[in-house]
Amino acid sequence: MLEELHIRGLGVIDDAVLSLAPGLTVVTGETGAGKTMVVTGLLLLFGGRGDAARVRSGADQASVEGRVELDPGSPVAQRVHDAGGQLDDGTGLVLRRVVSAAGRSRAYVGGAATPVGVLGELAEQLVAVHGQSDQMRLTRPGEQRAVLDRFAGTDLAEYSAAYTRWRGAASALDERVAQAGALRREGELLAHGLAEIERAAPRPGEDVELAALAARLAHADGLRVAARTAHNALLGDADDPAAEAIDVVALLSGARRSLQQHAGADPAVEALASRVTELLALAGDLGADCAAYADLLDADPAGLEQVETRRAELGGLVRKYTDGPDPDLGAVLSWAESAQQRLADIDVSDDAIRALTAQRDAALADVQRLACWLSEKRLQAAKELAGAVSAELIGLAMPSARFTVRVVRTDPSPSGADEVEFLLQPHQDAPALPIARGASGGELSRVMLALEVCLAGSDPMPTMIFDEIDAGVGGRAAVEVGRRLATLSRAHQVVVVTHLAQVAAYADRHVVVDKQVVRKRVVGEHVVGEQVVGEQVVGERGIGDGVTASDVRTVTDIERVAELARMLAGSDSATAFEHAAELLQVATSERLTALQHGAATQPARIRRRRGGGPKRPS
């Protein structure tokens, strides 16, 4: 439940606190006083679009802060913790939204800065806002179908998934058939390339190995001479023992002998002799390796030719099947892997076409089965919703009106295989016409309210906000609107922005938004307070600088009667005051009687319908 709303710098509201309570709260005031800013503030608080134009003239920013009472074990509380926020005193959630004059927007949940989208997520489980714009949306076929599904408790998830599978399978089949020739030619080219690569049978890294081998074979003579020369320098020329050159091993052997002769005289000399011995071993091994390398480098013109032929074959594959900036054999192997997968995907054989056709038909059968189930639910719900709304319209001063919900089967679409249309017959002699062109503004308002009342019984939202959806309604119908909102408030916290005294009289709490400071004023024999009126008044803090400001205050007793009188007659006359007092007395009496006798005035057929209707097909 929403407990408090604090608005700063928003439109004509400079700084105002709106205290809310369970039951029905009405917000009233003169046109232009800022009633709409209350709803705007609520929308901002729950993730609505931040508009810099709404920031009060001269202010750096607009801010809205609200406190919501939560069940600490609810999904909302868990989402708050996930976002890094904390509950105040274990059950209170503080939300805050700031919009700067430059257009930047910030959001805070439970003291933690969060994306604005988190506020929207919380709003889906905390508050439902119904405004005049909903009336225009209600004339759209898609919105009418959504309203019926909401009343029926229909879950479209399974049908939507089946529809997506069917459309995907149908598109795949159509594409395969329509492009059979092109796909067949593409398949032939891919098969040819794969066959050519398969014949060559390249190995990963083979091109690098062959490049190194070709370089070695091309320089075999020079490499062999270098290796022999290094061997002779290290170990001497084994083929010419009498050669005059002194090799490294001979020199190291002499050094070791010289050191070993005096090793006993000093441990340091013994250590030097040991190191020379290590060098002798290394020189011997290195010389042997040089000899072995030289033996491998016999000139092999035929081998070199074979290597170059293989390199040319692999190079042809690289040029033909790669186009990157640094192509190599690895790219050829990657192309072959992709081509193999693509070849499997574009199979245009009769077997492949039959398999795709079977997939499409099976998916279509699922869609038709689920669409039939949806239609049955909608048809049953249509009768119930039509009866419930028609009953509500009788109480809203349309005793002869008949509301009808027409459901017509169509081809499958993303939302089912039905067209839904709302029709209204205002009286017996009038034809039943679609509400988009057959309902007046006042009739559309009453249909809208009747629908909201019927749907609200299945709405788990703890708080419901109505923004002047009673436009175009008056007289006895206005009284019935107030009664129904009062009844609705026994199951929900209801906040209503209204211009009708008949609605405001049924409120548990009456909040006034105005541009005036009330001090003392006399109406007839009643002392109401004095009134200071002017465009320079800023709340109750004094005179401002000429910028219009609005104040938000809760009125009770005589002040509430005075506000109702203003709403009824636009004046403070004694007659208007007496009429307002009578209206409030009657409404208060009816509310008390209703509370004492339970749901005696419960709106027709309000109930939850989750899980009702035809059984889901298996």
Side-chain angles (χ1 to χ4, degrees), residues 255-400:
R256 184 177 63 177
R257 284 194 300 273
S258 176
L259 291 170
Q260 286 179 341
Q261 290 175 359
H262 302 281
D266 189 348
V269 173
E270 184 176 354
L272 291 173
S274 176
R275 291 171 62 186
V276 171
T277 300
E278 293 176 1
L279 288 175
L280 268 170
L282 290 174
D285 291 342
L286 183 57
D289 290 343
C290 288
Y293 177 74
D295 293 340
L296 293 174
L297 291 173
D298 292 336
D300 185 6
L304 178 60
E305 183 178 358
Q306 291 176 355
V307 170
E308 293 296 350
T309 299
R310 178 61 173 173
R311 291 186 66 201
E313 181 182 18
L314 297 182
L317 295 178
V318 170
R319 288 189 299 274
K320 187 179 295 187
Y321 298 108
T322 64
D323 55 2
D326 189 19
D328 56 16
L329 193 59
V332 173
L333 296 173
S334 296
W335 181 91
E337 183 178 353
S338 299
Q340 191 70 49
Q341 181 60 49
R342 174 60 178 163
L343 194 60
D345 292 340
I346 64 173
D347 185 3
V348 291
S349 66
D350 292 341
D351 289 341
I353 297 297
R354 281 194 293 270
L356 287 176
T357 302
Q359 291 177 11
R360 181 204 60 187
D361 293 345
L364 177 58
D366 287 341
V367 168
Q368 291 172 334
R369 174 174 52 84
L370 291 169
C372 184
W373 168 74
L374 277 176
S375 295
E376 291 178 6
K377 285 203 72 173
R378 286 168 173 165
L379 285 168
Q380 177 177 323
K383 296 178 182 178
E384 297 179 9
L385 180 60
V389 172
S390 295
E392 288 299 316
L393 291 176
I394 293 174
L396 291 170
M398 296 179 67
S400 301

Side-chain angles (χ1 to χ4, degrees), residues 201-218:
R203 293 179 292 102
E206 184 181 0
D207 51 345
V208 178
E209 297 174 5
L210 290 175
L213 179 57
R216 187 162 64 245
L217 291 175

